[in-house]
Amino acid sequence: ATAVRDERPVVFLPTATGTGAGPASERQPPPAPETAEALRRRLTGLDPVPFSPDQDAAAARIEEMSVTPGAIVWLSDGLDHPGRKRLEAALAALGEPAVYADTAERTPLALLPLDTTGAGLGVTVRRPVRNVAAEVIVVARGADGRRLAEARARFEAGSDTAQARLDLPLELRNSVARVEVAGDHSAGTTILLDARAGRPRVGLSAGERRMESEPLRSPLFYLRRALEPFAELEDGPVEDLLANRPDVLVLADVGHMAPQAESAVRQFVQGGGLLIRFAGPHMEAGSDDLVPVRLRSGARAVGGALSWEKPQPLGPFPGTGPFAGLAVPDNVTVSRQLLAVPTLDLNDHVWARLADGTPLVTAARRGRGTLVLVHTSADAEWSNLVLSGLFVDMLKRLLLLARHPVVALAGAQAPATLSPLALLDGFGRLGPAPEGTAAIAARDFAGVAASPTHPPGLYGPSSAPLALNLASANGPIDGNFRFRPASGPMQSLEGLERTDHDLAPALMVAILLLALTDIVASLVLRGIAIPRWPRRTTAALLLLASCNLPLTTRAEAAPPAIDPAFAVAATSETRLGYVRTGDARIDRLTEAGLRGLGRVLELRTAVHLGAPMALDPERDPLSLFPLIYWPVPAETPSPSEATLRQLSAFLASGGIVLFDTGAGDPAEVGLGIENPVARQALQRLLARLDLPPLIRVEGRHILARSFYLLDSFPGRISGRAIWVTADSAAEEPRVSPLVIGGGDWAAAWAIDDRDHYLVPTLEGGIAQRERAFRFGVNLVMYALTGTYKGDQLHLPALIERLGE
């Protein structure tokens, strides 16, 4: 603003720019001067980006500048990013920069990768080291945005991390789509979840054998230990397990099953289930056909007929299977295995091999499901694989087959690349991916870090997308990111806030006093006598003159005096007010409508309303009413200054006004707020008020659930949206002082003295009138109770009491 006033050119340099096309330094030319007015217009479209600044690139661009600035202002986040020293040196070569940063109270935060082991979700929040304790709330949300759970994370004084755990029942945990820090809207405080974070139900069975006396020799012992942190486990007979509808069924050395059990397993796989089988002595003696490849009878073992000279190590994993990228330890060996019969398509089914090329893991599709066979045992008798960390990693990859085959099956069985589906912006909001954002190779996804080339968000098909987060093991905010504060002097950003003073009133008074002095001096010089008034009289006249000069002060006009009788009538009972329009028919319907709504409230709720009162917004005190119904027909005139003052004060003090642009609107004519005629009438009424942005009301808004759960808000006219202030749908919602729509609700509510509807029929019949009354009940409850229904603190207790 100062540069605009002084007509000085400016150079503007953002340090984190661009998405989808590589490093910022490759895309941006050196910064050039522009007019301050042009920059001020451009800044309105500038938003934060969801990745770290590239201060090396910014320094390189400054080093190429051909102009020397008269002043340098650096708006910094106060953190020591890579390249900061070079940027400081580049700026110092041009002059002395004034560095501004947030105060210590506005601490930057980040969520680190979630701990998904166990029943809950472990959350770690990171901040710069501060010598004060602090507490934040971490929230888990579903795909529809509803709050599923929350937990408090507390920073101790001098600590840079805080821990929290979100405990959820399995059904809710698998529904979590994102975890975020309440009230801190950024990509760094948002973690997106996909199916990889879920806990599948896994059924374990070793046939009819029970080995409680020798648990270490049980075929299920190592499986339980490996799967317990990542899945909900249950063991028992096959038919009992399938009755509970697991995602994965694991059979450890089960050769032949009873016909009924085999049929149930076959249906499970055909219907989309995942069956994982491990070899062993029972499968060595023979097996059913629920295996991915044909097997030789007997087993190959060290010292046997098909013997090795020594146990075989594992070979490298194929790049097109679920184990691609896993490191193979040198000390893992197999001493016994089931051999596959060589066929022309055997290689298509092999996911892991031994060093000699024989299959260790094979798989095949059956119907919509998958069969997987590990050709060695699930205990330590045939191999030491179960004693290694590789065994856990392989099982984790196999579990993904049940919940996310796109990731588990790279290569020919899945998309070669994952295209961006929806991306996070700097405020942590998901939106459509801009054109040109690069796709990610499916096989490389696990190792990709969020960057300008690949911004955080969801990638892949809409049916099963993968989440790429800013905070991940690959960076840029990884476990070693310490939020190290930058060194050097920094001023508070609050110091940039200007406090302008309007000097017009004072200057006008000075001009008038000088003019008066000049007149008096002229009279004296002409010899004209000046009367000698007493001093007190002179002072009073001067004071009176200054008080009545209209340009010497900006004081607001005094509010109209309140009629005591009106005040008593308005406050003796809780009443709704309505604004008279001057149209007798509209005013009559409005009064009858509010009376009809009061009758319904008395029957259905604890609210008892007195008779509605007509208001003149220019003279009558609006603050005596919790809710005012304001019809806005197309011919509504512009309001007077007194009306604007009263309305502005009422909205600022907590009152609510329902502006109805459908009053007097024929149902077959498309008026309402969507129509230009109605918008013009509403703009004449509200144009000079300082109002926040508006949003459409949806099912999640408190107004849609303050008493009834609503997904539409019809009145006499249906199908029209209603609008409220944007902050009423924020993380910590405020009550919207405005509700704007065009439903002509009063006409739908209106009744006469005999309880007959004044508008006897509605287009949608009885159902539409009932929904209209329900909206009215919700509106009154919203005006009387505010954001009470937005309080979800009791949700965990309710879930616990429901036994979930």
Side-chain angles (χ1 to χ4, degrees):
T2 303
V4 169
R5 185 166 54 248
D6 296 343
E7 297 184 348
R8 288 185 293 167
V10 293
V11 175
F12 177 70
L13 176 61
T15 59
T17 58
T19 58
S25 58
E26 296 180 5
R27 300 190 312 277
Q28 301 293 326
E34 59 184 314
T35 66
E37 184 58 44
L39 175 60
R40 183 159 65 176
R41 290 194 299 268
R42 186 158 63 90
L43 286 178
T44 60
L46 189 70
D47 286 326
V49 291
F51 36 80
S52 299
D54 187 348
Q55 295 187 344
D56 267 319
R61 296 174 65 194
I62 290 174
E63 292 165 356
E64 298 172 2
M65 283 177 55
S66 58
V67 297
T68 301
I72 303 171
V73 175
W74 182 358
L75 307 183
S76 170
D77 60 7
L79 301 180
D80 188 14
H81 294 288
R84 185 179 179 96
K85 297 298 183 185
R86 180 183 177 186
L87 182 55
E88 289 176 343
L91 292 174
L94 298 176
E96 184 176 353
V99 184
Y100 293 86
D102 277 321
T103 59
E105 290 76 18
R106 294 177 56 87
T107 301
L109 301 172
L111 288 180
L112 299 188
L114 302 180
D115 176 13
T116 57
T117 60
L121 294 172
V123 184
T124 300
V125 191
R126 184 65 58 87
R127 71 167 184 178
V129 175
R130 296 284 188 261
N131 292 323
V132 295
E135 193 172 70
V136 298
I137 298 176
V138 180
V139 179
R141 295 189 180 276
D144 58 357
R146 64 192 175 104
R147 185 177 297 201
L148 300 179
E150 65 179 35
R152 296 181 181 273
R154 179 172 178 78
F155 290 98
E156 300 298 335
S159 173
D160 64 350
T161 58
Q163 307 290 333
R165 190 157 195 89
L166 296 163
D167 293 316
L168 294 147
L170 180 63
E171 290 77 7
L172 285 182
R173 171 177 167 158
N174 290 342
S175 299
V176 175
R178 62 191 289 153
V179 175
E180 59 192 18
V181 176
D184 194 306
H185 306 294
S186 76
T189 55
T190 301
I191 296 285
L192 300 177
L193 278 73
D194 52 37
R196 295 174 296 174
R199 285 177 65 84
R201 294 183 184 272
V202 177
L204 304 175
S205 179
E208 300 301 325
R209 302 183 303 283
R210 296 289 182 268
M211 305 186 68
E212 288 82 358
S213 60
E214 296 180 286
L216 293 179
R217 297 186 60 194
S218 167
L220 304 181
F221 175 79
Y222 295 100
L223 286 170
R224 289 195 191 97
R225 291 298 183 91
L227 293 172
E228 209 166 31
F230 315 106
E232 296 294 318
L233 303 181
E234 183 180 5
D235 61 80
V238 170
E239 293 178 88
D240 293 346
L241 295 176
L242 294 180
N244 292 330
R245 305 181 67 180
D247 300 301
V248 184
L249 179 63
V250 181
L251 302 182
D253 190 21
V254 176
H256 288 284
M257 291 177 278
Q260 193 171 2
E262 182 179 343
S263 175
V265 173
R266 195 181 307 277
Q267 292 179 8
F268 167 74
V269 176
Q270 293 282 347
L274 171 63
L275 173 62
I276 304 174
R277 303 186 72 168
F278 285 83
H282 290 77
M283 287 198 72
E284 182 182 355
S287 175
D288 49 51
D289 65 346
L290 287 171
V291 288
V293 295
R294 292 173 54 199
L295 301 174
R296 289 182 181 274
S297 60
R300 181 190 189 198
V302 173
L306 299 172
S307 64
W308 298 303
E309 294 180 0
K310 58 181 181 179
Q312 283 287 304
L314 275 60
F317 293 116
T320 58
F323 309 129
L326 291 181
V328 179
D330 296 333
N331 59 347
V332 174
T333 59
V334 176
S335 59
R336 195 175 187 90
Q337 72 175 140
L338 292 182
L339 282 175
V341 174
T343 59
L344 292 177
D345 63 344
L346 178 60
N347 285 337
D348 296 336
H349 299 286
V350 177
W351 284 355
R353 301 177 184 273
L354 299 181
D356 64 358
T358 55
L360 176 65
V361 181
T362 56
R365 298 286 291 179
R366 289 286 178 86
R368 293 188 291 113
T370 305
L371 293 174
V372 179
L373 173 62
V374 181
H375 290 239
T376 190
S377 64
D379 56 23
E381 294 293 327
W382 287 19
S383 168
N384 66 355
L385 173 64
V386 298
L387 304 177
S388 69
L390 178 63
F391 184 64
V392 178
D393 293 336
M394 292 175 68
L395 287 175
K396 287 171 63 178
R397 295 285 184 93
L398 290 178
L399 291 183
L400 286 179
L401 288 170
R403 303 192 61 81
H404 211 299
V406 172
V407 143
L409 298 175
Q413 303 178 64
T417 59
L418 303 176
S419 300
L421 179 64
L423 300 181
L424 287 175
D425 64 9
F427 296 107
R429 301 173 300 199
L430 269 177
E435 292 186 11
T437 306
I440 303 176
R443 69 180 62 183
D444 299 333
F445 190 87
V448 171
S451 66
T453 305
H454 303 302
L458 298 176
Y459 290 76
S462 57
S463 58
L466 295 180
L468 178 65
N469 289 300
L470 183 65
S472 69
N474 305 308
I477 301 180
D478 58 20
N480 296 320
F481 195 98
R482 293 185 296 275
F483 286 88
R484 188 170 31 243
S487 58
M490 285 180 282
Q491 305 175 52
S492 170
L493 277 170
E494 296 175 356
L496 283 176
E497 296 180 0
R498 294 180 53 85
T499 306
D500 291 336
H501 298 282
D502 191 354
L503 300 179
L507 291 175
M508 184 60 67
V509 171
I511 291 171
L512 291 173
L513 291 177
L514 288 174
L516 180 62
T517 303
D518 182 70
I519 292 172
V520 172
S522 298
L523 293 174
V524 171
L525 291 175
R526 292 178 184 181
I528 300 175
I530 302 297
R532 295 180 175 273
W533 290 329
R535 291 182 181 180
R536 289 184 181 179
T537 305
T538 304
L541 289 173
L542 287 175
L543 178 62
L544 181 62
S546 66
C547 289
N548 282 277
L549 288 173
L551 297 179
T552 61
T553 178
R554 291 178 179 258
E556 298 290 345
I562 298 178
D563 180 7
F566 182 94
V568 170
T571 57
S572 58
E573 297 180 86
T574 302
R575 299 179 188 270
L576 305 183
Y578 67 95
V579 173
R580 283 189 294 260
T581 65
D583 185 314
R585 180 179 178 277
I586 292 178
D587 292 344
R588 181 172 64 89
L589 280 176
T590 302
E591 191 274 337
L594 295 182
R595 190 171 63 246
L597 177 60
R599 186 76 56 85
V600 170
L601 282 162
E602 188 171 352
L603 292 173
R604 302 184 185 184
T605 73
V607 177
H608 296 275
L609 296 179
M613 295 184 65
L615 301 175
D616 179 347
E618 185 172 348
R619 295 194 306 269
D620 295 332
L622 306 182
S623 59
L624 302 180
F625 303 89
L627 173 66
I628 294 175
Y629 191 102
W630 195 314
V632 187
E635 62 277 5
T636 299
S638 298
S640 66
E641 291 295 332
T643 298
L644 288 176
R645 283 196 300 271
Q646 288 237 95
L647 178 57
S648 179
F650 177 67
L651 297 177
S653 62
I656 297 179
V657 180
L658 170 62
F659 290 101
D660 187 352
T661 60
D665 174 9
E668 64 274 8
V669 179
L671 297 180
I673 192 173
E674 295 86 354
N675 181 272
V677 176
R679 281 202 301 270
Q680 291 171 8
L682 195 63
Q683 287 171 355
R684 287 196 299 272
L685 186 59
L686 303 180
R688 288 184 285 169
L689 292 178
D690 184 15
L691 300 177
L694 302 178
I695 61 170
R696 290 177 62 136
V697 173
E698 297 177 350
R700 290 184 295 161
H701 195 277
I702 297 173
L703 182 56
R705 51 192 172 93
S706 57
F707 193 85
Y708 292 104
L709 296 178
L710 302 178
D711 56 7
S712 63
F713 315 94
R716 177 179 61 86
I717 306 167
S718 63
R720 294 180 179 175
I722 61 174
W723 300 75
V724 293
T725 58
D727 57 10
S728 66
E731 180 67 35
E732 301 295 335
R734 298 182 179 182
V735 175
S736 175
L738 299 175
V739 181
I740 301 175
D744 194 8
W745 292 280
W749 303 333
I751 60 173
D752 60 17
D753 295 336
R754 293 177 294 176
D755 290 348
H756 293 163
Y757 294 118
L758 296 183
V759 179
T761 60
L762 301 180
E763 183 180 2
I766 298 174
Q768 180 173 328
R769 197 182 302 273
E770 172 61 21
R771 290 198 300 273
F773 274 119
R774 290 188 177 191
F775 167 70
V777 171
N778 275 25
L779 180 66
V780 173
M781 299 303 287
Y782 184 61
L784 297 180
T785 64
T787 60
Y788 164 74
K789 282 292 183 176
D791 183 7
Q792 298 293 315
L793 296 178
H794 53 288
L795 181 60
L798 289 176
I799 293 176
E800 181 179 353
R801 294 186 65 180
L802 288 172
E804 296 290 340

